[in-house]
Amino acid sequence: MYLPCESYQDFIHLYIDHALSEPSTRLLEKHLLECEVCKAYLETIQEDLPTPIVKEKTDTDQAFIKKLERRLLWTQSSFLFCGILICVLFTLSQNMFQNLALLPLIGLLGYLFTKKLLPVPLLTTFILSISSWLKEGFSLDMITMISLLAFIYCILTLVGSGAGYLVIRLTHYFKTRSTWSKTGIFFTYLGLALLCLVILLAYNESNGNPFTALYAKKQMEDYLAHTYEGEDFSVHEPTYNAKFALYDANAYIHGYKNPRPFTISYKNGRVWDDYFDRYLEDIETSRRLGREAASQIKALLNQHAIPFSEVSVSLRVPQNTYNDISFDKTTIKEPLSLSITLLTDTKDSYEDFSKWCEAIRNLITIQDYNINSLTLDSDPYSMVNRLSLVLDEDEIYQPIQDISVLESFIDYGKLNDITDASQKDASVKDNLYKNELLSNTLITKLHEMNLPIEDVIIETSPNSSSITIEWFGERVCPYTFATTCITIRDLLVNEPELIQYLPIQSLDFSYYWGTMYDSYYVALYGEDIYAITTDKIVEDVLSNEKY
């Protein structure tokens, strides 16, 4: 590159002041070797300059510099170690996803401190692995999980170190004004922007962001103001639930003796809460009406020769609304959630199942039931593949073919326990039939003892059975609950039909009152079933071990 000597002589002044960039310095020094005029000009200027006074560094200066360097190193190391320690504490906790932002920041600062790419990521991985293994143990599953987490943490820290490298490159460019190509500058900026974007997207997917959280809170407040008009409510700051990609918040309805807490959620413009479930729903009436509706639909299916093994209906009704009213589809305005399990056969295909689904859908819509959810399942024990179809409120009124039923099937895998599928069908159907008969027998006997049993669920395996007892009523003291459990236990362990059937391996008692969140629950296994006492159940309930 040709430049006139006047330009080089301008460079000489910057050269003497050590303010010239490295590329320009190399260019000037090359010119001075070839040009005597500029070389003489440089010597003239240097002769006119006063002789600089060079002060030698004393031992005191050297000691001060080393002390300052040690203090800076200690500060940097402490800062990085505290950051790594926070990441370790967050690991395997509900705050673990905060590490998506914290680890790249540690990697960035680590590179700015050390000017090296690998030490900080490797140190982070090492500390995480050792601390987690010491805390959780050295089982194979734990080692596998911790190793995977350590690898992810190393990658996240390396991303931050890469960002630090790009930051230093840009800092060097702006300080020295070196002659970088425009392409190099562009790709450096692009790389830094992409790294930041990846970190922000990963953090947003796992932790949300403050802008969406603010919008979610506003939507929650508008929903509560519209749904519970006239109520005094407050909503706490929402937290992001990465598993379900939604925002949850604790809310309170005021104006009562004690504020009523409940949970409210927001996702994709939709808001829902559990205030009705906790405080307004009449659980006992809802279940009674559900059983009555299921009985009507069973009769309807039998009338039209549709094979089924189970029908369940759930609905939610407010308190003091339908206490003395039997189910009538013209009177009950609350929507129903209907679930039907078809009694299919191994010879049935996807198309056969689709035809039965269409027949049920037509029947339900013609009968004018108010249904907002319809779930149709094949009998999981009689088809080689279990099929399931879930229709929402809009899809119920469309033909099955229009919603691509085959794409809605859930394949639960092949049943390979018995190679002959027909033998498996016969064996399982026989067990289901026995379970149902025995369950009805036990319910009848418990009702004869004036026990308000809601349901008896019997599940069997080849060598044992498990029984779940559920009932409702007014709130009672733990001792009354325990006495009832012992009475039921004594009946079950002395029931001839049950003794001849299968040994009881587990026995669960569930008692509900008020709302679904108010309950006593006791789970007994093995010898505990026979050895449990009233006092022990009361102790378990009061200590909240099984409550």
Side-chain angles (χ1 to χ4, degrees):
M1 180 175 63
Y2 172 76
L3 289 175
C5 288
E6 290 79 4
S7 298
Y8 285 112
Q9 290 170 8
D10 291 337
F11 285 170
I12 288 174
H13 294 281
L14 298 174
Y15 179 74
I16 294 173
D17 294 335
H18 302 287
L20 195 62
S21 64
E22 290 183 8
S24 299
T25 298
R26 291 194 297 269
L27 187 64
L28 175 60
E29 290 175 345
K30 182 179 179 182
H31 178 72
L32 290 175
L33 294 175
E34 300 172 352
C35 179
E36 295 296 331
V37 176
C38 291
K39 182 176 181 182
Y41 181 75
L42 172 63
E43 294 174 350
T44 302
I45 293 178
Q46 289 177 335
E47 290 175 358
D48 295 338
L49 291 175
T51 303
I53 300 175
V54 179
K55 181 180 178 181
E56 296 183 359
K57 294 181 180 179
T58 63
D59 293 340
T60 304
D61 295 334
Q62 294 286 358
F64 176 77
I65 291 173
K66 290 182 178 180
K67 181 179 180 181
L68 188 62
E69 289 177 345
R70 286 197 300 269
R71 183 172 296 177
L72 181 60
L73 178 62
W74 172 255
T75 303
Q76 293 173 348
S77 301
S78 301
F79 189 86
L80 290 175
F81 182 78
C82 289
I84 295 172
L85 182 61
I86 293 173
C87 292
V88 170
L89 294 176
F90 281 172
T91 301
L92 303 180
S93 73
Q94 61 181 0
N95 296 316
M96 185 170 68
F97 290 116
Q98 301 292 338
N99 288 341
L100 288 172
L102 190 55
L103 283 167
L105 179 60
I106 290 174
L108 171 65
L109 295 177
Y111 188 84
L112 295 180
F113 292 160
T114 64
K115 304 298 187 297
K116 295 180 180 179
L117 194 64
L118 292 178
V120 173
L122 294 179
L123 178 64
T124 304
T125 304
F126 176 77
I127 294 177
L128 167 71
S129 302
I130 297 300
S131 60
S132 299
W133 285 333
L134 290 176
K135 178 182 177 182
E136 304 294 339
F138 287 86
S139 65
L140 180 61
D141 292 340
M142 187 54 61
I143 290 176
T144 303
M145 182 177 67
I146 295 300
S147 300
L148 178 61
L149 280 177
F151 175 75
I152 295 173
Y153 280 18
C154 185
I155 296 299
L156 290 172
T157 316
L158 278 173
V159 169
S161 298
Y165 169 75
L166 295 177
V167 167
I168 287 182
R169 285 199 55 162
L170 288 175
T171 304
H172 175 73
Y173 166 73
F174 286 115
K175 280 185 176 180
T176 62
R177 294 293 176 182
S178 57
T179 56
W180 271 18
S181 66
K182 292 183 178 180
T183 304
I185 298 173
F186 169 77
F187 279 109
T188 301
Y189 274 118
L190 180 63
L192 187 59
L194 288 176
L195 286 176
C196 294
L197 182 61
V198 168
I199 294 171
L200 289 175
L201 288 176
Y203 185 85
N204 180 71
E205 284 298 316
S206 55
N207 297 278
N209 64 80
F211 304 105
T212 310
L214 186 64
Y215 179 76
K217 183 177 180 181
K218 180 65 170 60
Q219 293 295 308
M220 292 174 181
E221 291 173 342
D222 293 344
Y223 165 84
L224 292 177
H226 174 74
T227 306
Y228 306 108
E229 188 174 357
E231 295 281 7
D232 179 20
F233 62 83
S234 60
V235 180
H236 289 190
E237 292 301 320
T239 57
Y240 189 71
N241 186 326
K243 182 177 181 180
F244 301 104
L246 55 82
Y247 284 91
D248 288 322
N250 293 323
Y252 294 86
I253 294 286
H254 304 281
Y256 298 89
K257 182 178 180 180
N258 295 312
R260 292 180 169 181
F262 62 100
T263 303
I264 186 169
S265 304
Y266 168 86
K267 180 178 182 179
N268 297 334
R270 180 171 171 260
V271 183
W272 65 95
D273 68 278
D274 62 359
Y275 182 74
F276 184 91
D277 297 339
R278 291 195 181 197
Y279 304 106
L280 303 181
E281 183 180 5
D282 187 337
I283 299 291
E284 189 171 353
T285 303
S286 297
R287 293 176 69 96
R288 176 180 61 81
L289 293 174
R291 291 195 303 271
E292 293 174 0
S295 298
Q296 290 186 16
I297 294 175
K298 286 179 181 179
L300 187 64
L301 296 176
N302 285 326
Q303 182 181 347
H304 290 79
I306 295 178
F308 67 91
S309 61
E310 184 179 351
V311 175
S312 64
V313 177
S314 62
L315 70 161
R316 301 161 61 199
V317 300
Q319 298 172 4
N320 304 320
T321 306
Y322 303 110
N323 293 358
D324 302 320
I325 299 178
S326 298
F327 180 81
D328 186 336
K329 62 185 179 183
T330 60
T331 305
I332 307 299
K333 302 302 181 183
E334 279 66 26
L336 310 178
S337 294
L338 173 61
S339 176
I340 301 175
T341 301
L342 295 169
L343 193 60
T344 47
D345 193 79
T346 52
K347 299 186 295 296
D348 293 340
S349 63
Y350 289 162
E351 290 74 15
D352 296 325
F353 177 69
S354 176
K355 292 176 182 178
W356 286 120
C357 291
E358 179 67 7
I360 294 174
R361 188 198 66 80
N362 287 331
L363 181 61
I364 296 300
T365 54
I366 291 174
Q367 294 295 323
D368 201 26
Y369 281 94
N370 181 16
I371 296 177
N372 65 353
S373 173
L374 175 60
T375 302
L376 302 170
D377 290 297
S378 65
D379 186 340
Y381 302 108
S382 60
M383 292 190 73
V384 176
N385 290 313
R386 178 178 177 179
L387 305 176
S388 179
L389 176 66
V390 181
L391 306 178
D392 61 23
E393 189 172 3
D394 296 328
E395 294 172 332
I396 292 173
Y397 299 97
Q398 302 176 24
I400 295 294
Q401 291 78 5
D402 292 347
I403 59 173
S404 304
V405 63
L406 295 180
E407 296 179 3
S408 301
F409 287 155
I410 302 174
D411 189 345
Y412 285 87
K414 294 185 177 180
L415 306 174
N416 296 318
D417 297 345
I418 299 179
T419 54
D420 187 347
S422 61
Q423 290 182 9
K424 184 172 184 67
D425 286 348
S427 173
V428 174
K429 284 182 181 178
D430 183 55
N431 284 340
L432 289 174
Y433 181 69
K434 288 181 179 179
N435 291 351
E436 187 68 22
L437 286 180
L438 187 54
S439 175
N440 292 333
T441 300
L442 294 175
I443 290 175
T444 301
K445 290 188 176 182
L446 292 171
H447 284 171
E448 290 174 354
M449 299 172 62
N450 295 321
L451 295 174
I453 300 303
E454 180 73 19
D455 199 4
V456 174
I457 303 170
I458 299 177
E459 297 179 349
T460 59
S461 64
N463 300 314
S464 64
S465 63
S466 64
I467 301 178
T468 301
I469 311 291
E470 298 180 350
W471 75 96
F472 292 83
E474 298 295 329
R475 180 166 188 172
V476 298
C477 68
Y479 185 82
T480 302
F481 166 72
T483 303
T484 307
C485 292
I486 294 297
T487 301
I488 297 173
R489 190 278 313 270
D490 292 341
L491 172 67
L492 296 179
V493 298
N494 293 297
E495 172 59 40
E497 295 184 29
L498 189 58
I499 294 174
Q500 296 173 6
Y501 190 34
L502 280 175
I504 303 174
Q505 189 64 30
S506 68
L507 179 59
D508 299 343
F509 296 101
S510 299
Y511 179 74
Y512 303 91
W513 71 87
T515 72
M516 63 183 296
Y517 297 94
D518 303 319
S519 64
Y520 293 133
Y521 175 71
V522 170
L524 307 175
Y525 304 96
E527 294 300 325
D528 286 346
I529 297 173
Y530 307 94
I532 196 71
T533 62
T534 302
D535 292 339
K536 178 59 177 173
I537 294 177
V538 172
E539 179 185 344
D540 290 343
V541 170
L542 293 179
S543 63
N544 290 326
E545 292 179 1
K546 299 173 182 176
Y547 169 53

